[in-house]
């Protein structure tokens, strides 16, 4: 017998429960917590502080040569509510990745979609299906599903970035595939601007006239979003906003879509002294403080925030931010999945 056996004080019913268990059946009428009034969420609010991450990063740099760490020196943020799973939420993988000067993380591809948000450093580059993309602080770089990628750090600075993947979603759908790739031997230390940016990143509203005539991938064909542009967009938006709170969404420039089929990315700026409205959404969010200090309240938890801190907002948890200094926060969520399945809900919550 491998299924759960239910029990009853009534000997006849108890015998029946034994019989159905022997046939791998369970009685719905004895089950609790299945169709809950609101989501029953195992993911708990949590924050990882940059100072700890940096200390541990330095140790991993000393102790774990990249060969021994497998291919990538990556520390997964493991949500304390998920029973030891290496996931930051029930739907998202988040990790910090360190690449020391001269190191290389070899080429591979996988069906989970990934993205990097650069927390610290500059001078590394990632090669996406042969297209080298430089990585600098504040940049968002996509690694779409099944695209070959490899990371190089030819600079003299160590790099640290946040990885977010939809791995728990793809694993839950039993659709994980992985393949090693041919490693790039070419020296790209003088990498030119990526082909992706030259085609699709030339400026708002300017796309190649033929974009969309031929093949367009499922993900955004623009694979990197530069901090300079993000910063300028937020600055401009805040000039028109009274609330001291503005967000920009990273979009596929050729269509009205999120950057990738499963992941939504946004950057939010909350000006010093501002407290945001309390809100909640279905789906979970991984947030990284790019700069500034403040505090976040998530349900009954409260965390101080500083540059590089990473926190998770579970589905349907009420949260709000308070900025002690201008606070820039990068967020990735699974919202496109909820949207596609008509499960997305959000609301402002009155205090
Ligand atoms: O850099 O390619 O955090 O494949 C997890 C899986 C990073 C990567 C992660 C990966 C990568
Ligand atoms: Fe990867």
């Amino acid at each position: 017998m491998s299924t759960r056996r239910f029990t009853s004080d009534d000997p006849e019913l108890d015998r029946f429960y034994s019989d159905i268990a022997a046939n791998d059946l369970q009685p719905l009428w004895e089950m609790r917590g299945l169709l809950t009034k609101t989501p029953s969420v195992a993911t708990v609010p949590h924050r990882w502080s940059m100072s700890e991450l940096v200390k541990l990063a330095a140790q991993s740099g000393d102790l774990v040569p990249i060969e021994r760490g497998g291919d990538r020196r990556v520390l997964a943020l493991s949500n304390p509510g998920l029973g030891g799973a290496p996931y930051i939420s029930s739907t998202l993988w988040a990790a910090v990745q360190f690449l020391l000067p001269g190191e290389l993380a070899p080429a591979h591809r996988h069906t989970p979609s990934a993205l990097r948000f650069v927390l610290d450093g500059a001078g590394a580059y990632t090669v996406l299906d042969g297209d080298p993309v430089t990585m600098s602080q504040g940049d968002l770089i996509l690694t779409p599903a099944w695209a070959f990628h490899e990371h190089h750090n030819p600079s003299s600075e160590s790099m640290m970035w946040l990885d977010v993947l939809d791995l728990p979603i793809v694993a839950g759908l039993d659709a994980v595939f992985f393949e090693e790739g041919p490693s790039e031997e070419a020296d790209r230390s003088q990498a030119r601007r990526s082909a992706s940016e030259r085609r699709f990143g030339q400026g708002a509203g300017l796309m190649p006239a033929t974009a969309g005539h031929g093949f367009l991938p499922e993900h955004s064909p623009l694979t990197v979003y530069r901090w300079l542009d993000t910063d300028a967009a937020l600055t401009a938006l805040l000039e028109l906003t009274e609330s001291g709170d503005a967000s920009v969404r990273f979009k596929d420039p050729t269509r009205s879509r999120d950057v990738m089929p499963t992941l939504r990315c946004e950057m939010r700026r909350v000006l010093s002294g501002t407290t945001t409205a309390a809100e909640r959404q279905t789906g979970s969010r991984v947030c990284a403080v790019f700069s500034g200090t403040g505090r976040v309240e998530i349900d009954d938890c409260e965390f101080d925030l500083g540059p590089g801190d990473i926190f998770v907002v579970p589905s349907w948890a009420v949260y709000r931010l308070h900025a002690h200094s201008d606070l820039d926060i990068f967020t990735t969520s699974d919202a496109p999945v909820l949207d596609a399945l008509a499960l997305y809900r959000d609301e402002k919550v009155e205090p």
Side-chain angles (χ1 to χ4, degrees), residues 72 74 93 95 97 108 110 116 149 151 163 165:
R72 303 178 275 298
V74 167
W93 162 284
Q97 180 159 173
H108 64 278
H110 34 70
R116 339 260 154 216
H149 53 288
H151 316 307
D163 290 317
L165 282 81

Side-chain angles (χ1 to χ4, degrees), residues 115-132:
L115 59 86
R116 339 260 154 216
F117 180 75
V118 184
L119 293 169
D120 195 33
Y125 63 95
T126 200
V127 184
L128 280 175
D129 277 336
D131 191 20

Side-chain angles (χ1 to χ4, degrees), residues 127-200:
V127 184
L128 280 175
D129 277 336
D131 191 20
V133 179
T134 56
M135 304 173 78
S136 304
Q137 213 168 22
D139 292 348
L140 166 64
I141 298 103
L142 310 184
T143 308
W146 213 235
F148 277 116
H149 53 288
E150 61 190 76
H151 316 307
H152 298 247
N153 187 1
S155 80
S156 53
E157 268 187 78
S158 58
M159 295 280 300
M160 177 171 172
W161 64 75
L162 167 71
D163 290 317
V164 183
L165 282 81
D166 60 3
L167 178 57
I169 298 174
V170 181
L173 294 168
D174 290 332
V176 174
F177 292 85
F178 176 96
E179 202 170 271
E180 276 172 21
S183 213
E184 274 291 332
E185 297 300 331
D187 174 20
R188 310 279 188 144
S189 50
Q190 299 303 315
R192 287 182 304 161
R193 211 158 165 237
S194 66
S196 165
E197 284 170 285
R198 280 181 282 166
R199 258 189 218 109
F200 298 104

Side-chain angles (χ1 to χ4, degrees), residues 195-277:
S196 165
E197 284 170 285
R198 280 181 282 166
R199 258 189 218 109
F200 298 104
Q202 284 301 111
L206 289 172
M207 287 298 117
T210 53
H213 289 190
F215 167 80
L216 268 180
E218 286 303 313
H219 55 83
S220 168
L222 182 62
T223 49
V224 55
Y225 298 76
R226 299 293 179 191
W227 170 246
L228 225 60
D229 298 324
T230 310
D231 185 33
L234 283 169
T235 302
L237 206 51
L238 276 162
E239 288 168 2
L240 304 171
T241 317
E242 296 286 292
S243 66
D245 174 14
S247 292
V248 289
R249 185 168 299 172
F250 299 89
K251 307 269 307 230
D252 178 337
T254 65
R255 289 162 292 189
S256 172
R257 290 201 197 184
D258 285 291
V259 288
M260 292 187 286
T262 49
L263 299 172
R264 172 168 298 168
C265 296
E266 294 178 345
M267 180 70 79
R268 183 173 195 176
R269 179 168 294 165
V270 183
L271 295 182
S272 179
T274 305
T275 300
T276 65

Side-chain angles (χ1 to χ4, degrees), residues 38 68 74 77 110-111 137-138 159 161 182 188 214 224 236 296 300 302 305 309 326 335 346 349:
T38 57
R68 179 146 29 119
V74 167
L77 308 185
H110 34 70
T111 50
Q137 213 168 22
M159 295 280 300
W161 64 75
R188 310 279 188 144
V224 55
V296 61
D300 299 330
E302 235 186 276
L305 300 177
D309 290 355
D326 291 1
D346 61 357
V349 181

